[in-house]
Amino acid sequence: MELDYETADVFTTTRFGGNPLAVVHGAEALDGARMQAIAREFNLSETVFVLPSGVADARLRIFTPGQEVPFAGHPNVGAAVLLARRLDGAPATLRLEQEAGIVTAWITRNAAGTPTAAEIEAPLPLQLGANLDPAEVALCAGLPPGAIHLNGHPPIEAGCGLPFAIAEVEDVATLATATPDIAAFRRHLSRTGALLLHAPLGLGRRRVRMFSPLDGIGEDPATGSANCALAGLLLAVAGGSLLNLEVEQGVEMGRPSLLHLAARRDADGAIRVRVGGGVVPVARGTIWV
């Protein structure tokens, strides 16, 4: 059997920047084990498999090289743009079903009408988990014990459909020296398996790095789901009803990415977050399965 696939760079306007993504179309005949094997073959942060949906425009199954995940940001943003380019009728929005829920994607087009970017809302409101030991988090990041900055927030588990450990460091120079320690991850961060470090760049701007070595991702160039959690956390800490955030990621990897986030506090107190960015198609082909 042959299936069509496409690749794209997500959270960038420049080819070979951002976070690469593979999207496999017409995957309804594949079981989870075969999808996992294909994701390992692509060996990207995530591979998306597109299936029919009875309740949305498409159903997505999202795999890292090591496991299936219920939600991830750059797969939704990238898949939304690639699907919009394939559909007739120029849809302004797409609804994408996945394990964590239905994700709405708002499509941006250029002057010629070609989809070039998308914004999505995370399927779940911000969920805060346990505080984490700063020294243990520093060990996981290969940093000195005092490197974790505590003035903004303590290291904490947080997520909007997928949990992450989130910690702040004082500046981008400290951030640049971080190196994940797999043994420390196994000891101290096995529950989330993923750590987002962030540092201030100025008002409304952050630089981040995300490590997930237990899942085969030493470092991720752009992580929409983790940055949704970060934006929601920063709003929870700051108070108020709205927070806009611009995030740089992937700089240290030579794959600069730019993510635009908006967190809002609804009337019921729940914090919901949107993330968006550019998508650049790279390649298409056929995979034998």
Side-chain angles (χ1 to χ4, degrees):
M1 178 171 58
E2 299 179 28
L3 296 179
D4 293 335
Y5 74 86
E6 298 175 88
T7 65
D9 293 328
V10 183
F11 294 125
T12 181
T13 57
T14 303
R15 191 166 283 114
F16 313 128
N19 198 352
L21 173 73
V23 178
V24 179
H25 299 279
E28 54 268 27
L30 302 180
D31 62 15
R34 185 56 60 91
M35 292 179 185
Q36 186 67 77
I38 294 169
R40 283 195 298 269
E41 181 74 13
F42 278 115
N43 199 33
L44 301 175
S45 297
E46 280 105 1
T47 296
V48 174
F49 297 86
V50 181
L51 303 94
S53 171
V55 295
D57 294 295
R59 182 162 73 95
L60 306 183
R61 293 185 68 177
I62 305 168
F63 287 78
T64 73
Q67 66 176 340
E68 185 172 8
V69 294
F71 164 71
H74 107 278
N76 274 278
V77 170
V81 169
L82 293 182
L83 287 171
R85 291 168 68 97
R86 294 167 69 97
L87 293 174
D88 295 329
T93 63
L94 289 174
R95 286 165 46 84
L96 304 173
E97 178 191 1
Q98 53 217 264
E99 184 180 335
I102 293 179
V103 171
T104 299
W106 292 265
I107 307 299
T108 297
R109 298 172 181 271
N110 62 18
T114 303
T116 57
E119 181 184 53
I120 65 164
E121 182 162 296
L124 297 175
L126 175 70
Q127 297 171 317
L128 296 178
N131 287 356
L132 302 169
D133 184 289
E136 292 178 353
V137 171
L139 281 174
C140 293
L143 294 172
I148 302 303
H149 195 50
L150 302 178
N151 290 346
H153 66 84
I156 191 171
E157 294 177 356
C160 298
L162 190 66
F164 293 86
I166 299 178
E168 184 177 12
V169 297
E170 185 169 359
D171 52 37
V172 294
T174 303
L175 186 67
T177 65
T179 303
D181 184 317
I182 296 178
F185 263 82
R186 290 194 180 104
R187 289 195 303 271
H188 304 304
L189 288 181
S190 60
R191 185 162 51 202
T192 64
L195 171 62
L196 180 83
L197 294 178
H198 64 99
L201 282 175
L203 184 64
R205 298 176 62 235
R206 296 267 158 172
R207 182 176 295 175
V208 312
R209 298 179 71 186
M210 201 290 288
F211 306 110
S212 187
L214 301 185
D215 196 32
I217 303 170
E219 182 169 358
D220 197 31
T223 318
S225 52
N227 282 293
C228 282
L230 172 62
L233 172 62
L234 293 178
L235 178 59
V237 169
S241 59
L242 183 65
L243 181 142
N244 291 309
L245 183 66
E246 185 177 272
V247 168
E248 294 181 2
Q249 191 176 344
V251 174
E252 295 79 7
M253 301 175 66
R255 295 197 66 103
S257 306
L258 187 63
L259 299 84
H260 301 280
L261 297 114
R264 72 176 188 274
R265 192 186 306 270
D266 288 345
D268 61 1
I271 293 176
R272 295 190 175 272
V273 187
R274 293 186 180 188
V275 59
V279 177
V280 183
V282 174
R284 62 177 57 181
T286 300
I287 185 168
W288 291 81
V289 295

